[in-house]
């Protein structure tokens, strides 16, 4: 948090969050710090949170304690997207998964067992949308 700035644009911003295995958090944060000068111009605020493992099928925390690195970006899609790609590339060696309800550019692999379940329970794709069609594609 930067004390001399408002914490966000009062709802007028973009967000992304990458979820990393907890054991990779320190190295990942050091890697982000190294590219901080590229991130800073389009960033309102960033926060780090710790999340306990769960056993939910599509959860980014399935079977692993995690650390979430959240970014609240300025509302500048053209400026944010290249920086987000850089952030994702920088964090790639640390096993990140994106928060699916926020911005990301790298598609996560969908578990095969979930893909099969979706095909079996919704063979005609009645509950699908553009996002799930991309996610479930092989």
């Amino acid at each position: 948090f930067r004390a001399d700035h408002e914490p966000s644009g009062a709802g007028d911003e973009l967000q992304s969050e990458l979820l990393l295995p907890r054991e990779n958090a320190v190295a990942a944060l050091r890697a982000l710090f190294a590219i901080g000068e590229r991130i800073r111009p389009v960033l309102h605020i960033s926060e780090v949170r710790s999340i306990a493992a769960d056993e939910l099928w599509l959860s980014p925390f399935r079977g692993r304690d995690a650390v979430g690195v959240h970014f609240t970006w300025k509302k500048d899609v053209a400026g944010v997207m290249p920086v987000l790609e850089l952030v994702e590339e920088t964090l790639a060696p640390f096993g990140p998964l994106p928060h699916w309800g926020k911005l990301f550019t790298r598609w996560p692999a969908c578990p095969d067992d979930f893909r099969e379940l979706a095909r079996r329970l919704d063979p005609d794709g009645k509950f699908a949308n553009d996002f799930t069609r991309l996610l479930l594609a092989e």
Side-chain angles (χ1 to χ4, degrees):
F1 295 93
R2 291 183 280 174
D4 60 336
H5 289 76
E6 290 185 33
S8 75
D12 194 25
E13 70 272 335
L14 307 168
Q15 296 184 0
S16 59
E17 186 170 17
L18 294 161
L19 308 152
L20 305 152
R22 190 176 294 156
E23 63 269 14
N24 295 342
V26 171
L29 291 171
R30 284 184 177 142
L32 286 174
F33 185 76
I35 61 167
E37 291 302 317
R38 291 281 311 278
I39 295 171
R40 193 169 292 114
V42 292
L43 184 69
H44 277 300
I45 196 163
S46 182
E47 56 192 60
V48 178
R49 63 188 177 111
S50 180
I51 308 103
D54 63 34
E55 292 306 319
L56 303 173
W57 229 341
L58 293 181
S59 171
F61 318 113
R62 185 179 184 190
R64 69 180 193 171
D65 292 329
V67 168
V69 182
H70 170 87
F71 301 88
T72 299
W73 306 106
K74 294 178 181 175
K75 192 171 183 181
D76 174 9
V77 174
V80 166
M81 293 312 287
V83 174
L84 177 55
E85 289 175 5
L86 173 63
V87 165
E88 290 175 332
E89 178 182 318
T90 300
L91 293 179
F94 306 106
L97 292 173
H99 183 302
W100 291 354
K102 300 179 182 183
L103 291 176
F104 61 92
T105 66
R106 293 177 181 228
W107 290 102
C110 183
D112 289 336
D113 52 355
F114 182 79
R115 189 178 287 120
E116 177 54 36
L117 179 69
R119 278 194 209 108
R120 185 167 47 87
L121 297 179
D122 187 21
D124 299 324
K126 291 186 185 278
F127 295 100
N129 59 33
D130 290 345
F131 177 77
T132 60
R133 279 188 278 281
L134 283 169
L135 180 67
L136 297 171
E138 293 185 43

